[in-house]
Amino acid sequence: MRKLITATLLATLMAGSALADTKLKLVEVITSPERTETLKSIVARFEQANPGTTVEIISLPWGEAFQKFATMVSAGEIPDVMEMPDTWLSLYANNGMLESLEPYLEKWEHTPGLTERALELGRDVNDTAYMLPYGFYLRAMFYNKKLLSEAGVAEPPKTMDDFVKASEAVSKLPGKSGYCLRGGPGGLNGWVMFGATMAGDNKFFNEDGTSTMNSEGWIKGLTWLAGFYSGTCAFLDQDPDALIAIAQRMKPEDFGVTTMPKGPSGKAFTTIGFAGWSILAASQNKDLSWKLIETLEGPEGNIEWNKRTGALPVHKSAEKDPFYASPQFKGWFDELADKDVVLTVMPTYLEEFAFFKDSLAIKTTQEALLGDITPEELANQWADYLTKAQQKYLANKK
């Protein structure tokens, strides 16, 4: 009996030691000091609720995140949980690197409270939830009320024609620009929105897999956009997370947020993106990793996270929160309610899309802005690359 008790005690002590040594690695890739501090706060609650478990947070700068994470994976430094941008999902899911969250979602008490869009986008690859979105990034148009007034523009533009006229009027002011084009990995959205809006369609491919991006309407939109340089500007298309930085630098009465301008078809094609949390298939602690995601994605953690980071939450209950009833969010909710604003999801299901967005698009748009290539050459390069990717995708589906 004494041997049995000793063996049982030893096993208990060893189990406790193993628990104490449990460390999860979490990688965040859309980073800022504010986001990281918020993440640490929510993760601390998880650690408190799970004694003996610690979470190492690895923060990768967004501008270099795609390359840095790929290098980590190549070196075998694979985390348990990672922040998954929509544009990376297909690449990692189709290569067997992500764990299906379906068994967990089936049992999770908060799954019924998720918005339909959250579940739909999380299942973007093979109708399987390889990630759970934490929020939506929907583009809308910020405008500087003072600059519009100085330029004699009475109200924010509703159409592309009005938008061009207003931008030209502001650009005549010394040292001012009508529109500031976002650069870096987030810059593709502007090109896509204006191209699709001038084309009157957000269809990226024809039935045979050829890209539509070098069609006449797309080229017209890309040509217009290639004429702007950044500066002190009246207009900026951005996601809700930009409110954080803008609100720190501008008084609420000095700026507004409105819907993206509509094109000749009477419609605007506004990009909607998303990001979320995924479990890596190589994790040795999948159930514990899901517990961490539960903490991050439950109503309390999710709404706290999105209030600090600016994305639109994935829980239906967030609509009742007074925070989202503020005038600052009106532009985005107007877009969601406007039947002539077509929410546009880029073809993130293509494995090649991550490279296209985070590398090829950055290089070629810079060349177009500098005049090294024409907008038509830009469109042809994009169309050629995406046609090959789409036709490969269609061939693999047969």
Side-chain angles (χ1 to χ4, degrees):
M1 175 63 74
R2 180 170 179 169
K3 288 183 179 179
L4 178 59
I5 293 174
T6 302
T8 302
L9 178 61
L10 180 62
T12 302
L13 290 173
M14 289 179 66
S17 175
L19 182 62
D21 293 335
T22 302
K23 177 185 282 188
L24 296 180
K25 285 188 177 182
L26 180 151
V27 168
E28 60 163 342
V29 299
I30 308 175
T31 55
S32 71
E34 176 78 11
R35 294 171 72 96
T36 301
E37 287 307 308
T38 304
L39 181 61
K40 287 179 179 177
S41 173
I42 300 172
V43 164
R45 293 205 296 269
F46 166 79
E47 291 176 331
Q48 187 175 10
N50 295 272
T53 301
T54 58
V55 180
E56 178 188 359
I57 298 175
I58 302 169
S59 301
L60 303 181
W62 173 234
E64 308 165 17
F66 181 71
Q67 290 82 2
K68 284 184 176 292
F69 187 72
T71 301
M72 284 180 59
V73 170
S74 298
E77 300 174 17
I78 300 176
D80 299 280
V81 175
M82 73 166 292
E83 184 178 19
M84 179 61 65
D86 53 356
T87 52
W88 300 12
L89 181 59
S90 178
L91 176 64
Y92 288 104
N94 282 322
N95 282 283
M97 295 190 62
L98 304 181
E99 186 75 9
S100 169
L101 302 182
E102 295 292 353
Y104 299 108
L105 288 170
E106 187 177 348
K107 299 175 183 177
W108 194 34
E109 62 178 314
H110 295 300
T111 299
L114 296 170
T115 64
E116 290 182 10
R117 181 69 74 168
L119 291 170
E120 173 192 338
L121 295 178
R123 291 169 173 148
D124 194 44
V125 178
N126 300 326
D127 293 323
T128 302
Y130 289 112
M131 66 105 91
L132 179 57
Y134 59 64
F136 307 122
Y137 296 95
L138 177 64
R139 288 294 174 96
M141 189 68 75
F142 285 80
Y143 60 95
N144 185 311
K145 294 180 179 180
K146 287 186 175 181
L147 283 184
L148 292 188
S149 178
E150 286 180 39
V153 179
E155 60 180 3
K158 294 180 173 60
T159 68
M160 281 293 293
D161 285 342
D162 291 341
F163 180 50
V164 171
K165 291 175 185 176
S167 298
E168 289 174 344
V170 173
S171 295
K172 291 177 182 177
L173 299 173
K176 309 300 180 184
S177 296
Y179 170 70
C180 281
L181 171 65
R182 181 175 174 178
L188 177 62
N189 296 60
W191 297 85
V192 167
M193 286 189 294
F194 287 115
T197 295
M198 293 308 295
D201 197 339
N202 65 349
K203 184 176 70 171
F204 289 98
F205 301 101
N206 298 310
E207 289 185 8
D208 62 357
T210 54
S211 172
T212 61
M213 280 192 168
N214 57 353
S215 63
E216 181 180 354
W218 274 89
I219 290 176
K220 187 174 182 180
L222 299 180
T223 300
W224 180 81
L225 200 59
F228 282 99
Y229 281 86
S230 292
T232 303
C233 54
F235 298 109
L236 172 71
D237 68 84
Q238 261 288 8
D239 306 304
D241 59 344
L243 274 175
I244 296 169
I246 291 174
Q248 291 172 350
R249 294 165 176 82
M250 296 180 71
K251 297 177 181 178
E253 62 267 24
D254 290 340
F255 74 93
V257 181
T258 188
T259 59
M260 294 298 294
K262 296 179 173 68
S265 67
K267 296 182 182 296
F269 296 87
T270 305
T271 56
I272 183 171
F274 57 99
W277 300 106
S278 292
I279 297 175
L280 277 294
S283 171
Q284 299 299 306
N285 298 287
K286 294 185 178 68
D287 289 346
L288 196 57
S289 295
W290 170 252
K291 280 191 173 183
L292 174 56
I293 290 179
E294 281 185 320
T295 305
L296 293 166
E297 292 272 24
E300 181 183 355
N302 180 248
I303 293 175
E304 176 187 348
W305 170 257
N306 286 300
K307 281 184 179 179
R308 298 286 185 88
T309 63
L312 301 175
V314 296
H315 290 275
K316 299 171 186 174
S317 57
E319 297 176 9
K320 301 175 183 176
D321 195 297
F323 177 82
Y324 293 102
S326 69
Q328 295 168 320
F329 283 92
K330 186 176 185 301
W332 289 286
F333 288 113
D334 284 349
E335 284 187 332
L336 290 171
D338 189 339
K339 61 181 176 57
D340 290 323
V341 174
V342 183
L343 302 185
T344 299
V345 179
M346 288 192 269
T348 54
Y349 59 86
L350 297 174
E351 288 185 35
E352 295 83 356
F353 190 80
F355 174 80
F356 172 73
K357 175 180 179 289
D358 291 339
S359 185
L360 178 63
I362 295 174
K363 175 179 178 293
T364 51
T365 54
Q366 288 175 345
E367 291 172 341
L369 290 170
L370 292 171
D372 294 335
I373 62 174
T374 67
E376 187 171 359
E377 289 171 328
L378 168 75
N380 285 333
Q381 285 191 45
W382 286 9
D384 180 61
Y385 180 87
L386 290 175
T387 293
K388 291 175 182 174
Q390 176 71 1
Q391 290 181 339
K392 172 188 166 186
Y393 170 79
L394 292 175
N396 289 338
K397 286 185 67 177
K398 292 180 180 179

